[in-house]
Amino acid sequence: MKISRTAKAVGYLDEDLIAEAEGTKKNKGLRTWIGWGSLAAGLVLLVTAGAVFVPKLFAKTDAGRYKEYHVAVSESNIIWPWEQLTTGEKYTGAEIDGRTYYSKMRTVTEALTGEKIGTYTISGYDQIGDKEYEIEADAYRIRDVSSNEYVAVQLDGDLYVFRREGYIPPMTLGELFAMADLPKVIKLRQFSENGDGPDTKHFELKDDRYIWDILTECADAAFVEDQDWFAGGSDYICFSVTSEALGVYKNAMYVTADGYLWTNAFDYQYFFEIGRDAASKIIEYSKKNSSGTEYEPYLNAVAGTVTEINETYIMVDDTAICRDPKKGLSYKILLNDKRLTRYVNSGMLKAGDLVQVLYRGGLDEAAMIIDTATQIDRAYLSNGNVSVKE
Amino acid sequence: MDDQRIIELYFARDEQAIRETENKYGKLCFQIAINVLNAREDAEECVNDTYNGLWNTIPPTRPANFRAFAAKIARNLSLKRLEYLTREKRSAENTVPLDELADILPDERYAPGIGDEEVGKHISAFLRMEKPDARRVFVRRYFYFDPVASIAERYSFTTSKVKNMLFNTRKRLKDYLIKEGIEI
């Protein structure tokens, strides 16, 4: 194999450029949490699947069902041919009234959108064909959100959330509230204390109005530019932030006992000093007005060998990765989404392959049918474990 | 330990320098090596070679940024090892994104009169004109060889956005090098 000259030359980059890219790394205290939040982008670096990814029906009764295995994501690095992309994947850029927006690749229901802003050119790029495409599409306001920051663009009958490009953080928490009516667009429900993940205690908040009231009073809380901040320096709670209007699914919002609020719900790190008093009120209220709940992984997964492929489904049998082969089960994965059918159509998937299938929501336990799969990765057995090659 | 102090240990030929480097930057060097080689044993060997490389170059070199200097050595040694292993067919499948850069300057037949270091300077100059986000994403992908997904996580971007940023940066880099008279 020949290493290209460009690849070698990059090894001689100026050292400040190399250090700059290293220095912007998010702190370790946040990485795990943010990692799960960022799974919206289809990413996992290394994930021990045993506890996290096993389907819910095994969560309590048979947690040790699978051999431990590690996953390094492959799908996110596949560049699909243009014709294999969904419309939402194809058209990801918009110029609207002098501002550039990019697609969050998440849909928003019509009920959450307002009046039409206009018809604009939406662009897409075919990376394999090296060709730019443009279509005209209608853009709409999203209720309770500034159209300077977010709009909904109608593509192929669906409304997609688009976010304004560029790092222009609000200077105060009040400016963030002006950007979006947060109590209306974000419901704070699930949170965990001093960590996240399957081994942390998780809670369900009864009512988040008091928290938003406290935060509204912190309108003057200043934005803090600190890429190295980490939550682990103080006690904290972290809320799971999901917002259809903002195109956000299970991102994070931390409130720390030493008086800070941190969130990645707006695509960039937004970090405010709300003060110890406000933070302690929020933390105390949350603890007193919640009850314990189960950990909810971002995605579920099954892994196993493909035993059958046809036009409407694939069958996956997990006997090969079960600690006890007698407990092997077969799952029917419905191919009801272009993101799945393209694996079959492109010939990437064939009977006998070992795969991991990621899916949202639940599994029809009676029929063992998964109808919400979004991703299939090929896996490879290695030393008795399963790994997915990039 | 402070980087300057570690460098002083190298200058004093004190082997504690290696141990301090290992403590502070061993993980960083290993991460680069494993990204390139995808094999633990090879990566560990590369990291040890990196310590030797540092020992042999400091002195006389006094790096302004020791962390980046160590990362550079780890990267270059990892690529050399990858080239050797794949040539000898001793390696598993290569996973680093070298193909993505191949269109720009595929091999030594291109820009024959210019060294890799000089091309590197041109790329640095180009990157300084890029937006910070695009610059960091490029460096993460092609210096550190981070997976797209990992870069997306680091900067809270979607993977699609990262891929588009990389594609556009590569395109602009190619145009820039042509403009600068580098034969492509």
Side-chain angles (χ1 to χ4, degrees):
Chain A
M1 171 191 182
K2 196 79 185 158
I3 311 289
S4 79
R5 289 204 64 193
T6 325
K8 288 179 183 169
V10 168
Y12 294 99
L13 287 182
D14 292 346
E15 283 160 16
D16 62 314
L17 298 175
I18 297 164
E20 177 194 46
E22 180 65 24
T24 53
K25 188 174 180 177
K26 289 190 185 81
N27 58 78
K28 287 177 183 175
L30 297 176
R31 281 181 67 79
T32 307
W33 221 108
I34 293 164
W36 292 113
S38 303
L39 271 166
L43 58 94
V44 186
L45 251 188
L46 286 171
V47 176
T48 303
V52 180
F53 273 155
V54 170
K56 269 192 167 177
L57 74 159
F58 303 120
K60 279 184 176 173
T61 56
D62 204 359
R65 169 183 168 75
Y66 284 174
K67 296 171 186 172
E68 282 192 5
Y69 65 95
H70 292 82
V71 179
V73 143
S74 58
E75 195 276 344
S76 60
N77 289 309
I78 296 173
I79 298 176
W80 292 100
W82 181 255
E83 58 276 11
Q84 297 277 11
L85 299 176
T86 65
T87 307
E89 290 172 327
K90 283 177 178 171
Y91 296 99
T92 56
E95 287 288 332
I96 296 176
D97 300 335
R99 291 182 291 274
T100 304
Y101 292 75
Y102 62 91
S103 174
K104 298 273 296 176
M105 313 275 259
R106 300 194 69 85
T107 56
V108 56
T109 49
E110 198 176 339
L112 294 183
T113 59
E115 70 270 28
K116 181 176 162 181
I117 302 169
T119 303
Y120 299 93
T121 301
I122 314 298
S123 59
Y125 195 80
D126 173 4
Q127 295 189 48
I128 293 175
D130 188 17
K131 192 176 173 187
E132 284 185 26
Y133 291 87
E134 289 183 344
I135 54 167
E136 297 295 301
D138 293 336
Y140 296 84
R141 290 186 193 284
I142 298 172
R143 289 187 197 281
D144 306 310
V145 180
S146 166
S147 60
N148 287 343
E149 301 292 336
Y150 292 85
V151 295
V153 174
Q154 190 153 40
L155 296 169
D156 223 7
D158 288 319
L159 288 155
Y160 285 87
V161 178
F162 276 60
R163 168 81 161 111
R164 188 182 66 168
E165 199 166 81
Y167 177 61
I168 311 169
M171 287 298 98
T172 62
L173 190 57
E175 284 185 25
L176 183 62
F177 272 80
M179 199 165 105
D181 190 343
L182 301 184
K184 288 186 179 166
V185 299
I186 296 174
K187 293 295 167 209
L188 299 173
R189 289 285 179 264
Q190 291 240 346
F191 72 93
S192 56
E193 189 181 0
N194 293 337
D196 186 56
D199 301 327
T200 312
K201 283 185 178 173
H202 292 259
F203 304 91
E204 176 91 18
L205 186 67
K206 292 186 180 77
D207 190 334
D208 64 353
R209 277 176 295 185
Y210 176 77
I211 294 173
W212 289 118
D213 288 345
I214 295 289
L215 292 175
T216 305
E217 287 169 14
C218 298
D220 292 334
F223 181 84
V224 181
E225 183 74 64
D226 181 1
Q227 296 286 344
D228 293 327
W229 176 86
F230 66 98
S234 166
D235 285 342
Y236 62 91
I237 56 174
C238 52
F239 288 97
S240 174
V241 175
T242 294
S243 169
E244 190 181 328
L246 301 177
V248 166
Y249 180 69
K250 290 193 176 178
N251 278 27
M253 187 179 95
Y254 285 71
V255 177
T256 68
D258 59 355
Y260 292 94
L261 180 146
W262 182 101
T263 182
N264 62 349
F266 301 87
D267 288 5
Y268 296 97
Q269 167 179 288
Y270 285 177
F271 183 38
F272 300 93
E273 185 172 5
I274 59 173
R276 286 175 183 272
D277 184 45
S280 66
K281 283 178 184 169
I282 290 170
I283 293 170
E284 279 173 32
Y285 172 84
S286 300
K287 287 181 181 175
K288 281 181 187 166
N289 294 277
S290 59
S291 49
T293 188
E294 279 184 32
Y295 171 70
E296 281 186 12
Y298 183 88
L299 290 170
N300 287 304
V302 293
T305 310
V306 177
T307 54
E308 184 186 348
I309 301 177
N310 62 39
E311 286 181 357
T312 55
Y313 63 85
I314 62 171
M315 294 299 297
V316 173
D317 185 290
D318 70 3
T319 304
I321 62 160
C322 278
R323 289 185 193 281
D324 180 357
K326 290 175 190 162
K327 290 187 174 179
L329 289 170
S330 286
Y331 308 87
K332 182 185 274 190
I333 318 293
L334 300 189
L335 301 175
N336 52 2
D337 188 312
K338 194 171 188 177
R339 289 173 295 177
L340 300 176
T341 53
R342 62 192 178 193
Y343 288 95
V344 177
N345 294 340
S346 64
M348 285 178 64
L349 205 62
K350 54 186 187 305
D353 286 345
L354 197 61
V355 296
Q356 175 188 263
V357 178
L358 297 180
Y359 65 99
R360 293 183 196 283
L363 162 69
D364 178 341
E365 294 175 23
M368 299 300 279
I369 292 174
I370 293 171
D371 63 356
T372 52
T374 58
Q375 186 172 319
I376 305 172
D377 291 312
R378 280 189 62 181
Y380 297 82
L381 271 171
S382 168
N383 297 326
N385 294 326
V386 178
S387 65
V388 179
K389 283 193 177 179
E390 194 181 347
Chain B
M1 182 182 281
D2 176 63
D3 284 357
Q4 288 312 314
R5 179 76 190 113
I6 299 176
I7 292 169
E8 289 310 324
L9 289 174
Y10 277 104
F11 269 83
R13 311 312 287 162
D14 184 337
E15 289 182 7
Q16 183 64 21
I18 304 278
R19 288 187 284 277
E20 294 296 340
T21 305
E22 185 177 7
N23 288 341
K24 201 166 177 186
Y25 298 123
K27 207 171 162 186
L28 168 71
C29 295
F30 179 78
Q31 191 56 54
I32 294 169
I34 195 82
N35 279 352
V36 173
L37 296 163
N38 200 27
R40 188 171 189 91
E41 207 171 301
D42 290 326
E44 281 169 354
E45 210 164 310
C46 256
V47 174
N48 286 330
D49 289 347
T50 301
Y51 301 144
N52 286 335
L54 287 166
W55 183 259
N56 292 333
T57 46
I58 310 172
T61 308
R62 186 177 284 275
N65 188 318
F66 182 63
R67 181 193 188 99
F69 187 76
K72 269 182 167 182
I73 292 180
R75 182 189 185 277
N76 292 344
L77 289 174
S78 302
L79 280 184
K80 275 184 188 170
R81 187 160 186 83
L82 176 71
E83 205 165 24
Y84 164 76
L85 289 170
T86 50
R87 193 174 57 233
E88 301 291 317
K89 297 189 186 336
R90 295 180 182 184
S91 169
E93 194 181 339
N94 164 44
T95 59
V96 286
L98 297 170
D99 290 349
E100 294 172 17
L101 290 172
D103 282 349
I104 302 175
L105 278 177
D107 55 43
E108 277 71 16
R109 289 171 298 171
Y110 295 80
I114 301 172
D116 292 339
E117 194 165 350
E118 195 178 340
V119 177
K121 293 290 167 205
H122 281 290
I123 298 174
S124 291
F126 161 78
L127 288 175
R128 290 185 193 286
M129 295 185 291
E130 289 287 287
K131 289 179 183 170
D133 279 350
R135 183 166 66 228
R136 289 169 186 152
V137 165
F138 183 94
V139 173
R140 291 300 331 170
R141 182 69 172 153
Y142 302 122
F143 182 86
Y144 292 99
F145 295 119
D146 281 355
V148 167
S150 166
I151 300 169
E153 181 201 20
R154 180 181 287 269
Y155 298 117
S156 294
F157 294 148
T158 63
T159 52
S160 169
K161 182 177 167 74
V162 169
K163 282 191 271 191
N164 282 331
M165 286 171 87
L166 289 169
F167 184 87
N168 290 324
T169 307
R170 290 200 305 270
K171 210 167 145 193
R172 286 193 295 271
L173 172 61
K174 191 168 181 174
D175 292 344
Y176 175 84
L177 292 176
I178 290 169
K179 208 178 85 195
E180 290 297 303
I182 309 286
E183 189 185 319
I184 291 177

